[in-house]
Amino acid sequence: MKSINELIKEINELKSELHNKDFLLTWEQSPEELERVLKTAQALKAMRKENIATNIFKNGLGISLFRDNSTRTRFSYASAINMLGLAQQDLDEGKSQIAHGETVRETANMISFCADAIGIRDDMYLGAGNAYMREVGEALDDGVKEGVLPHRPALVNLQCDIDHPTQSMADLAWLEEHFGGLDKLKGKKIAMTWAYSPSYGKPLSVPQGIIGLMTRFGMDVTLAHPEGYDLIPEVVEEARKNAEASGGSFTQVESMEEAFKDADIVYPKSWAPYQVMGRRTELLRANDHDGLKALEQECLAQNANHKDWHCTEEMMKQTKDGEALYMHCLPADITGVSCKEGEVEESVFEKYRIATYKEASWKPYIIAAMIMNRKYQEPGDVLQELLDDAEKRVK
C-alpha cells in the first residue's frame, strides 16, 4: 500500500479542473480527475487509520437534502463532512418555506451563507433529479457572483435519476484495492446484470453509474437484463464511447448466464425499466395514487416472469474459476433472509458479505475527496499541511 507522502505526490501531478465544477456525473470528469479523487480518498483513509486529524474546516455547514430513503449514503455524507470539520444540517423541505413556493434560486442562497458543502439525493423523478442539482449549482454561482455568498459551496450528487457517482466511485476504489491498482483493472470483465426483486421502482442510477464509470478504465463491461428493462439510451451510448476511448469494451447480452461467463466481477442488481420510470414520474407528479398502485402491480407481475435472474452458487460457477468478486450497492434482496425470493442466494451473499462492507466503507472518503477537490485547487497541499501537523484525531 502506498504511503501518504506518495499519494500526495501523485495527487499533485494529476491535472484537474474539479475546483471549477461540481461532481454531478462521472463521465463529465477526465480520467485524471477521477484518479485524483481516488487518491485523495486513499490519503484521507490512510490518515484516519494513522489517527491524524483531517478537519480542514474550523467551522461551517454541510447541508444535506435527501428526497429518498438512505442508510449508507446518508451516514457516509455525514461522516465525510464531519471528517472535514463541518457540522451537518439536513434540509427538511416540509419544515422550510419551499412548501410555500420558495424558488430553487432563493433556497440555494438562503441555506448557503455559511455552507461549504451541499449534498443532494434526488432519484425519484426521471428527467428531474440531475436537472435540479444543476439549477441549484447555477443559483450558487449567481449568489457568489452577486456578492451574496462569500464563497461557492461544493455540490455533490448523492444519487440522481442518471448517475450515483459516490457509489460508483466507491466501487471503483474497492476494485482498485482488491485487485491492487487501477492498471490491474484493464481487461477485467465486470458483469452488470439485472436481478429479480420482489419490489419495483428501484432507480436506474447504479447500473448506469457502473457502465458509465468502469468503461473509463479499460474494463470489459457487460450489461445484461431481460427484454424491456432498458437503461437510459444516452447513458448506454456514453458507455460505448467510453469503452472505445479507454481500450476496453462494452457488450450487451440477453441472459445472466452469458454475462457471468468468465467474469472477474459480478454486480447483480434490480432496477425498474426506463419506460416504467418515465410513467412512474408522470404519475408521481400528477399525485395519481391509484395509477401508482396499478403500475406497481403491473411491474411486480413483470418482475415475477424473471425469477431465474438469480445470483446463485450455480450461477457463480460460470464466472472465472468460479470465484468472481460479487459486488452490490446494498441493501441486497437476499433470498430467504430479507425476502422470500430475491437478487442473490444467501450462501453467495454470506461468502462476500465482508467484501460488500469493505466496498461500502469507501464512500465517506470518496465524498470527502470530492468536496476537497471542489474547494481546493491543490488538495495535495492541504493534505501535506495536515500530515506535517500530524494532529491526533483521538488524543
Side-chain angles (χ1 to χ4, degrees):
M1 187 172 181
K2 292 177 181 176
S3 70
I4 300 170
N5 279 315
E6 286 176 310
L7 288 167
I8 291 173
K9 182 176 182 294
E10 291 178 356
I11 290 166
N12 290 336
E13 292 171 349
L14 291 166
K15 295 179 181 178
S16 171
E17 287 296 321
L18 286 173
H19 61 289
N20 287 324
K21 55 183 176 178
D22 294 316
F23 206 112
L24 301 184
L25 299 171
T26 63
W27 47 90
E28 292 178 329
Q29 324 308 330
S30 72
E32 281 190 274
E33 288 168 340
L34 295 171
E35 191 171 351
R36 196 160 91 154
V37 169
L38 290 174
K39 291 185 185 301
T40 304
Q42 290 165 14
L44 288 167
K45 191 170 188 178
M47 286 180 172
R48 183 84 173 182
K49 186 176 182 180
E50 294 187 19
N51 199 33
I52 298 173
T54 55
N55 48 320
I56 58 177
F57 300 105
K58 298 301 181 185
N59 55 52
L61 288 178
I63 310 296
S64 58
L65 171 57
F66 282 83
R67 288 175 161 174
D68 202 356
N69 296 332
S70 174
T71 301
R72 273 145 296 280
T73 305
R74 182 184 292 274
F75 277 84
S76 292
Y77 179 74
S79 298
I81 61 172
N82 180 268
M83 189 191 312
L84 299 178
L86 301 174
Q88 183 178 12
Q89 178 63 54
D90 191 54
L91 174 58
D92 186 335
E93 293 183 303
K95 295 179 181 178
S96 74
Q97 295 293 350
I98 294 171
H100 294 167
E102 186 176 85
T103 64
V104 173
R105 181 172 57 187
E106 187 169 320
T107 302
N109 279 271
M110 295 305 105
I111 67 175
S112 299
F113 296 137
C114 294
D116 285 288
I118 300 174
I120 302 176
R121 167 169 283 192
D122 188 353
D123 60 6
M124 294 180 67
Y125 297 87
L126 194 63
N130 197 268
Y132 172 76
M133 293 175 191
R134 294 181 190 278
E135 189 176 357
V136 170
E138 290 170 3
L140 295 174
D141 289 339
D142 186 59
V144 173
K145 178 184 175 183
E146 298 297 335
V148 175
L149 304 178
H151 52 78
R152 175 59 152 75
L155 180 60
V156 180
N157 177 359
L158 299 179
Q159 188 173 13
C160 70
D161 50 319
I162 300 174
D163 193 9
H164 195 348
T166 63
Q167 178 65 52
S168 60
M169 285 292 287
D171 292 340
L172 182 60
W174 167 232
L175 288 176
E176 182 178 9
E177 176 189 352
H178 181 79
F179 289 104
L182 282 179
D183 59 318
K184 301 293 195 303
L185 301 183
K186 288 185 180 296
K188 289 281 190 298
K189 179 181 177 180
I190 179 169
M192 181 70 241
T193 78
W194 187 86
Y196 169 73
S197 173
S199 64
Y200 109 108
K202 293 180 187 286
L204 306 170
S205 46
V206 168
Q208 291 176 168
I210 293 301
I211 68 170
L213 179 61
M214 302 310 170
T215 47
R216 305 292 298 281
F217 292 91
M219 300 187 74
D220 293 332
V221 180
T222 298
L223 174 67
H225 55 76
E227 185 178 355
Y229 285 76
D230 304 281
L231 301 178
I232 296 175
E234 290 80 4
V235 180
V236 174
E237 183 55 34
E238 188 70 40
R240 291 190 198 284
K241 291 190 294 184
N242 292 345
E244 186 175 343
S246 73
S249 68
F250 177 70
T251 308
Q252 289 184 269
V253 298
E254 297 179 350
S255 71
M256 182 179 275
E257 290 90 345
E258 189 175 354
F260 272 43
K261 184 173 175 55
D262 297 325
D264 298 280
I265 307 127
V266 296
Y267 207 131
K269 165 83 176 74
S270 186
W271 65 82
Y274 166 60
Q275 298 294 339
V276 165
M277 291 300 281
R279 291 167 59 195
R280 180 172 176 259
T281 295
E282 292 173 3
L283 293 168
L284 282 166
R285 284 178 168 159
N287 204 25
D288 186 346
H289 297 292
D290 290 337
L292 284 167
K293 287 179 181 178
L295 179 62
E296 179 177 12
Q297 293 307 308
E298 175 188 329
C299 293
L300 290 177
Q302 183 180 358
N303 280 6
N305 293 326
H306 308 291
K307 290 184 179 181
D308 55 326
W309 288 70
H310 185 205
C311 184
T312 62
E313 288 189 35
E314 196 62 32
M315 192 71 73
M316 289 294 286
K317 290 178 182 177
Q318 304 291 324
T319 67
K320 189 172 183 180
D321 300 323
E323 292 290 337
L325 176 67
Y326 167 86
M327 296 180 73
H328 200 285
C329 58
L330 302 179
D333 290 324
I334 308 168
T335 301
V337 177
S338 54
C339 58
K340 184 179 177 181
E341 297 172 285
E343 298 168 321
V344 59
E345 201 169 54
E346 180 183 2
S347 58
V348 174
F349 184 82
E350 188 58 31
K351 178 179 177 180
Y352 295 94
R353 179 171 56 84
I354 297 303
T356 63
Y357 292 177
K358 289 180 178 180
E359 175 188 351
S361 74
W362 276 102
K363 193 177 285 189
Y365 302 102
I366 288 293
I367 295 172
M370 288 176 176
I371 293 170
M372 280 193 69
N373 277 274
R374 179 61 164 112
K375 295 294 290 183
Y376 297 98
Q377 186 170 355
E378 301 295 342
D381 293 346
V382 180
L383 291 168
Q384 188 64 59
E385 287 182 32
L386 294 171
L387 186 60
D388 292 342
D389 291 343
E391 182 182 347
K392 290 185 178 180
R393 188 183 71 83
V394 180
K395 305 294 186 182

